Amino acid sequence: MGVVAYHNHEWVSAEKYFSEALRLIQVIGSEIMSEKWEPLLNNLGHVCRKLGKYDAALGYHQQALVLCPQNPSTYSAIGFVHSLKMNFSAAVEYFHKALGLKRDDTISVTMLADTITMYIEDIEPCEGVNEEEELDKLQVSSTTHKDDKNEESISGLDMTIEEVDMEN
């Protein structure tokens, strides 16, 4: 029922069904959950993410990871939640872990690229740095060098090109 509710975009109902299933498993099951319940925990994580309950989503995905630590989809799901929380560094780390397990995971590749783009856009320039001063340091020096062969003044870049041409 939880899967049907999820596919119908009934997030609250899906959460209710999945949570009830988890409660029943914990009541009647042993103290240690079997890895067969990993999809239930990931489904709860997905529903919580849809409801904006990011910390709860991370908790469920982390529990799923304990049960099945080699599932790249779980790493990708954790990365996705971290990206939504704007914790880009952690998101990138988890997408890399997912891709380490499954190199051709198109979702992880796409999400990694999108997350890196958001990460770059989110980075602020360093505080206390004089931007004009730093730009001056980065500009190519206008000093000139003399070429030993023809005594012409040429820039450093031109000299490098000329030296390569003269050796051939």
Side-chain angles (χ1 to χ4, degrees):
M1 295 299 295
V3 173
V4 172
Y6 184 88
H7 285 293
N8 288 331
H9 303 270
E10 298 169 2
W11 316 127
V12 175
S13 295
E15 181 185 28
K16 184 184 101 184
Y17 288 122
F18 290 140
S19 294
E20 181 62 18
L22 180 60
R23 188 188 69 74
L24 289 172
I25 292 165
Q26 291 170 335
V27 168
I28 61 175
S30 64
E31 290 183 26
I32 300 174
M33 287 183 70
S34 167
E35 76 176 47
K36 69 182 177 184
W37 299 114
E38 175 261 343
L40 173 63
L41 292 167
N42 272 327
N43 287 343
L44 267 164
H46 294 309
V47 168
C48 287
R49 173 180 46 83
K50 290 286 193 177
L51 292 170
K53 300 177 181 179
Y54 300 138
D55 291 331
L58 284 174
Y60 287 122
H61 289 308
Q62 291 289 354
Q63 289 177 53
L65 199 58
V66 169
L67 296 180
C68 193
Q70 297 298 312
N71 186 348
S73 297
T74 303
Y75 285 103
S76 184
I78 293 170
F80 186 31
V81 175
H82 277 297
S83 70
L84 292 171
K85 290 181 69 167
M86 297 184 69
N87 186 356
F88 300 124
S89 177
V92 167
E93 180 181 332
Y94 277 97
F95 289 130
H96 276 282
K97 287 179 181 181
L99 291 168
L101 293 169
K102 184 179 177 189
R103 297 180 79 180
D104 61 342
D105 183 12
T106 55
I107 292 172
S108 293
V109 169
T110 302
M111 291 301 300
L112 176 61
D114 291 347
T115 300
I116 289 173
T117 300
M118 290 185 296
Y119 196 10
I120 290 169
E121 291 171 356
D122 189 56
I123 295 174
E124 294 291 326
C126 298
E127 291 182 26
V129 174
N130 183 336
E131 290 182 31
E132 287 180 24
E133 212 174 274
E134 292 301 312
L135 284 174
D136 288 343
K137 290 179 187 176
L138 294 175
Q139 290 177 349
V140 178
S141 172
S142 63
T143 60
T144 59
H145 303 280
K146 287 194 172 190
D147 183 296
D148 292 337
K149 300 266 185 200
N150 57 15
E151 301 290 319
E152 292 179 19
S153 291
I154 54 175
S155 71
L157 180 60
D158 291 338
M159 187 170 84
T160 303
I161 294 170
E162 296 256 346
E163 286 175 8
V164 170
D165 287 340
M166 286 193 278
E167 290 177 12
N168 289 331

